Amino acid sequence: MNIAIIFAGGSGVRMGSGIPKQFLEINGKPVIIHTLQLFQYHDEIDKIYISVLEDYIGYMKELVEEYRLHKTAGIIPGGDTAQDSIYHALKKAEAENPEDSIVLIHDGVRPFVSYEVISENIAGVRENGNAVTCTACFETILLSHSGEIVESVPYRKDTFAAQAPQSFYLKDIIAAHDEVRARPQRYENMVDACTIIRSLGKEAYMVPGNRGNIKVTTPEDVYMFRALLQYKENEQAFGLGITNRIETRMNKHRKKKEQ
């Protein structure tokens, strides 16, 4: 069983729009629908669990029905933090699925992860036990505690940006959350699942992400996402960049028939 956990409990303060950023409409659809459809239409995803602000659960249910997101298995109230929201969704998944299910934890406001990256995450968990989507950093990364003085400069070739999905076996990531939640500081400084498992001394394995997999957080990100959508539409209109995806899917179907 391959399960997508989509967390979208943010209030959208940095966006300054007055409504949560995940419900902003871009090209006629809320951002979260753009995201959910990527998993809805992926051949290897079996179920989707969505964690949203409690006040928006009713609206989310309407959207799921309107856009026929039939893989949706549950809509869960978010928690005090992003990690609490994810944990609530994981516990719901735990109650309804085998413990060796693969879960892909993904931001509701990352609406441009590629089909191939989702597949690579699933394959990565099967091979290594987990998979963290990353892209190489093209800019120089500076380390500074004060934000005023540069303390160190890592070699650019050694720096990567963690993205989403971040994927695990269900039982493993729940066990990691339970261990962190038992500590007095709980999720302090825990920004994602990768941070959680590394804080416990566990290995995290990287899979390459696509560079357009942005997180829609600020108004500037909205403009970038619109540009990426236009690029994608041009690809589809002129047949650019889609040949490999079509061939990949056709090869998968051929292998199934041969088996």
Side-chain angles (χ1 to χ4, degrees):
M1 184 72 67
N2 298 324
I3 300 166
I5 301 289
I6 310 299
F7 63 100
S11 58
V13 173
R14 281 173 286 183
M15 185 66 73
S17 61
I19 64 171
K21 57 199 172 190
Q22 56 271 28
F23 295 110
L24 284 175
E25 288 198 4
I26 299 179
N27 281 24
K29 287 189 294 191
V31 171
I32 193 169
I33 296 301
H34 286 279
T35 302
L36 288 167
Q37 286 180 330
L38 300 175
F39 293 88
Q40 170 67 38
Y41 299 138
H42 197 288
D43 293 346
E44 295 181 82
I45 297 297
D46 302 301
K47 288 185 177 182
I48 301 171
Y49 290 87
I50 311 166
S51 179
V52 298
L53 293 165
E54 190 163 7
D55 290 346
Y56 283 83
I57 287 179
Y59 180 47
M60 190 70 249
K61 288 180 178 178
E62 292 178 6
L63 290 175
V64 165
E65 183 176 350
E66 178 182 352
Y67 289 95
R68 300 180 181 180
L69 304 174
H70 64 266
K71 289 184 181 178
T72 302
I75 301 174
I76 302 96
D80 294 335
T81 69
Q83 297 310 316
D84 283 313
S85 298
I86 292 167
Y87 184 74
H88 293 171
L90 287 169
K91 294 299 287 184
K92 177 70 171 174
E94 180 187 42
E96 300 177 351
N97 301 280
E99 65 175 8
D100 61 350
S101 297
I102 292 174
V103 292
L104 293 83
I105 301 170
H106 192 74
D107 297 278
V109 290
R110 281 193 188 271
F112 219 80
V113 62
S114 75
Y115 189 98
E116 292 80 8
V117 168
I118 293 172
S119 292
E120 287 295 326
N121 269 258
I122 294 168
V125 175
R126 288 174 180 156
E127 182 177 354
N128 297 312
N130 63 62
V132 177
T133 305
C134 300
T135 56
C137 290
F138 286 172
E139 298 185 8
T140 301
I141 302 300
L142 310 178
L143 298 182
S144 171
H145 287 89
S146 66
E148 298 177 356
I149 298 173
V150 175
E151 296 175 14
S152 63
V153 183
Y155 289 120
R156 186 186 298 175
K157 66 180 180 63
D158 296 332
T159 60
F160 297 81
Q163 298 182 331
Q166 296 185 5
S167 307
F168 309 84
Y169 284 114
L170 179 58
K171 60 182 174 61
D172 291 343
I173 191 59
I174 287 180
H177 271 269
D178 285 340
E179 191 170 343
V180 167
R181 292 171 72 88
R183 298 173 173 179
Q185 63 270 35
R186 286 169 55 89
Y187 292 123
E188 184 179 349
N189 295 324
M190 299 289 172
V191 295
D192 59 8
C194 180
T195 313
I196 288 174
I197 66 167
R198 289 298 300 143
S199 75
L200 301 175
K202 301 179 186 297
E203 296 287 354
Y205 293 89
M206 300 160 63
V207 295
N210 58 292
R211 299 210 68 83
N213 185 16
I214 64 169
K215 185 176 181 181
V216 180
T217 304
T218 67
E220 291 82 2
D221 297 329
V222 173
Y223 291 114
M224 188 178 297
F225 179 46
R226 284 176 176 155
L228 287 166
L229 283 175
Q230 183 64 54
Y231 174 75
K232 187 175 181 180
E233 289 170 2
N234 289 341
E235 276 192 333
Q236 293 171 346
F238 299 107
L240 303 173
I242 64 171
T243 303
N244 289 340
R245 292 200 294 273
I246 293 172
E247 288 179 351
T248 298
R249 296 184 71 171
M250 289 180 67
N251 287 335
K252 284 182 180 178
H253 288 302
R254 288 193 194 102
K255 288 179 181 178
K256 286 181 181 179
K257 287 182 179 179
E258 290 172 359
Q259 292 172 354

